[in-house]
Amino acid sequence: MQYLVFEDEKVSRLKPLVNFKPVYGLYTGFRSLAEKLEDATAGSVRLTWHLREYLAPFYGEQHPERILNRIDGDELFLINGRLVSDDVAAEIIIHAALDPGCALMQGDNLLFARMPRSRFPGLSGGRPAGLIDTDVLAECLSVRQVEGFRVVDNLWDVIAFHADEMELDGRYIEAGVLAGDIHPSAVIVNRSNIYVAPGAVVKAGAVLDAEDGFISIGSGAVVESHALLMNNVFLAPWAKVKASARVYSNVFVGTASKVGGEVEDSLVEPFANKQHDGFLGHSYISSWCNLGAGTNTSDLKNNYGSVKLLMEGMEISTGLQFLGLLMGDHAKCSINSMFNTGTIVGTSANVFGGGFPPREVYPFTWGGAADGFGPYMIDKAVETARKVMERRQVVMSAAYEEMFRFVAGREQGRKFFL
């Protein structure tokens, strides 16, 4: 039996966060959806992966061990890539706990299905065609409704699930191991709930307070002098927390990312930069973003009401009291930028100038609150992205540039603020 993790048509709702990654590349807690699925199944089954065609060449470079967009099994066990895996999901997957021709759905989300390859719609030469239309898929299956699973349905769900997922992910930490270079003057509170990897550095006067939650510092990561970490903080390898930063309450900092100032309840993907003063709360910052010095986000409305997002010009209530900034890959903002509660900044958007920009900044645009936004020319966006990546000793591959240009060409057809 072939196990296939698939992207369905609902992935389109999750832009800009999924423009440069498959949906299972999203993080909530300190692991991506793909990592959660792999850890939950623990090698009991061999997973194969379906993703949008334009993503496959670069994703294949990053994950050469994974089988992508190929269906060669006679029988398929399908797993929705938007699923946040847990022990119950793992049991279903490991034991293939479905009769042939059956599916489990939660609302309108097809979570799992078991079917012969011959009944899989849209196959061309053994390759799925684009995003999977699960409505069509469900028509040829016997469907049973279930509940209790976490599924990333909405752009804000990665934040809504984050605190609980940090607690669950914390089970994977080797708590009580302090193997890195820790300065004698660093303050360590509740070392039984702290992991400092070999090769990590904790400098003079830093405070690791794990009284109310874990702290994990990966290999090569650096916590500079007088920084404070507390209440569920995960630093991936080579991440950096700048001097005098306050990082607390469910914060994930990805590989080689830098954070400074005040950060709470936020996810910062690999190779992102927020190293200066300013507040970041209940926010999701994608890879290669840069927040200028003094950038501040609001994550709570003055009336303490539910935060609303503007998506394609339509206002949508999230049901969340706390929600800050959702920023797509390669987006940037200048010094002293200010973002209102529930702001979306699109892929490779460049925000500068005084005042609050719109709560929806379109991808590949350039401008600010005072004069509005215009298109960001694709060649200039590519050149800037190349320079940003080179500063971190990462070479933009031909596959990455092709993906970048594809997304830019598609997204620049959208309207922008004038």
Side-chain angles (χ1 to χ4, degrees), residues 77-411:
F77 193 95
L78 305 179
I79 306 159
N80 196 313
R82 295 184 292 112
L83 177 71
V84 184
S85 299
D86 58 12
D87 293 340
V88 176
E91 285 295 307
I92 293 171
I93 296 166
I94 291 169
H95 299 292
L98 283 176
D99 291 330
C102 292
L104 299 183
M105 293 189 71
Q106 182 169 278
D108 62 353
N109 287 315
L110 191 148
L111 303 182
F112 308 100
R114 183 174 175 179
M115 64 189 303
R117 169 183 172 170
S118 60
R119 297 175 66 186
F120 190 90
L123 275 184
S124 175
R127 300 176 69 84
L131 295 171
I132 305 302
D133 188 334
T134 52
D135 290 337
V136 172
L137 198 61
E139 288 177 358
C140 64
L141 298 167
S142 174
V143 172
R144 178 162 63 91
Q145 283 286 333
V146 294
E147 58 184 23
F149 293 92
R150 279 188 174 149
V151 187
V152 179
D153 263 332
N154 306 294
L155 191 60
W156 57 88
D157 285 342
V158 286
I159 299 296
F161 299 156
H162 179 55
D164 287 345
E165 287 298 316
M166 284 290 281
E167 290 287 347
L168 293 170
D169 288 351
R171 297 177 299 175
Y172 290 85
I173 290 173
E174 297 180 63
V177 175
L178 280 70
D181 181 6
I182 302 174
H183 193 277
S185 68
V187 178
I188 307 296
V189 180
N190 191 15
R191 65 178 50 233
S192 65
N193 210 14
I194 296 174
Y195 172 71
V196 181
V201 176
V202 179
K203 294 191 175 182
V207 177
L208 309 183
D209 182 351
E211 185 173 7
D212 296 316
F214 67 81
I215 294 169
S216 179
I217 303 173
S219 178
V222 177
V223 179
E224 292 188 343
S225 297
H226 302 290
L228 166 66
L229 279 62
M230 60 186 293
N231 191 12
N232 295 348
V233 174
F234 184 93
L235 304 185
W238 306 105
K240 179 177 286 189
V241 175
K242 299 293 287 186
S244 299
R246 290 89 67 209
V247 181
Y248 57 91
S249 182
N250 305 307
V251 174
F252 161 70
V253 183
T255 300
S257 286
K258 302 176 185 179
V259 296
E262 183 180 4
V263 184
E264 69 163 341
D265 290 281
S266 293
L267 301 103
V268 181
E269 285 191 344
F271 296 102
N273 185 41
K274 183 250 177 279
Q275 66 173 320
H276 301 292
D277 284 342
F279 173 68
L280 182 72
H282 292 86
S283 296
Y284 193 107
I285 307 300
S286 298
S287 293
W288 305 111
C289 288
N290 185 73
L291 305 185
T295 293
N296 285 287
T297 63
S298 168
D299 62 0
L300 175 66
K301 294 174 66 174
N302 284 355
N303 64 4
Y304 288 60
S306 171
V307 178
K308 297 178 181 179
L309 291 179
L310 271 178
M311 302 182 69
E312 300 289 350
M314 296 180 60
E315 198 166 60
I316 300 174
S317 178
T318 67
L320 300 180
Q321 188 176 47
F322 291 92
L323 183 62
L325 175 64
L326 304 170
M327 184 174 261
D329 294 71
H330 287 281
K332 299 168 186 62
C333 64
S334 66
I335 63 170
N336 296 324
S337 292
M338 300 185 295
F339 292 101
N340 246 316
T341 318
T343 293
I344 300 171
V345 176
T347 304
S348 195
N350 199 313
V351 180
F352 54 86
F356 288 94
R359 288 190 294 122
E360 183 178 24
V361 178
Y362 281 88
F364 297 92
T365 57
W366 173 290
D371 299 318
F373 286 79
Y376 189 10
M377 295 297 100
I378 295 175
D379 286 343
K380 290 183 178 180
V382 169
E383 186 56 32
T384 299
R386 193 189 312 278
K387 290 177 182 177
V388 168
M389 296 170 78
E390 286 175 352
R391 281 172 56 87
R392 300 292 189 91
Q393 290 75 56
V394 176
V395 175
M396 179 187 287
S397 69
Y400 192 93
E401 181 174 348
E402 183 178 0
M403 176 183 69
F404 193 105
R405 289 183 180 275
F406 176 89
V407 173
R410 181 190 68 191
E411 297 296 318

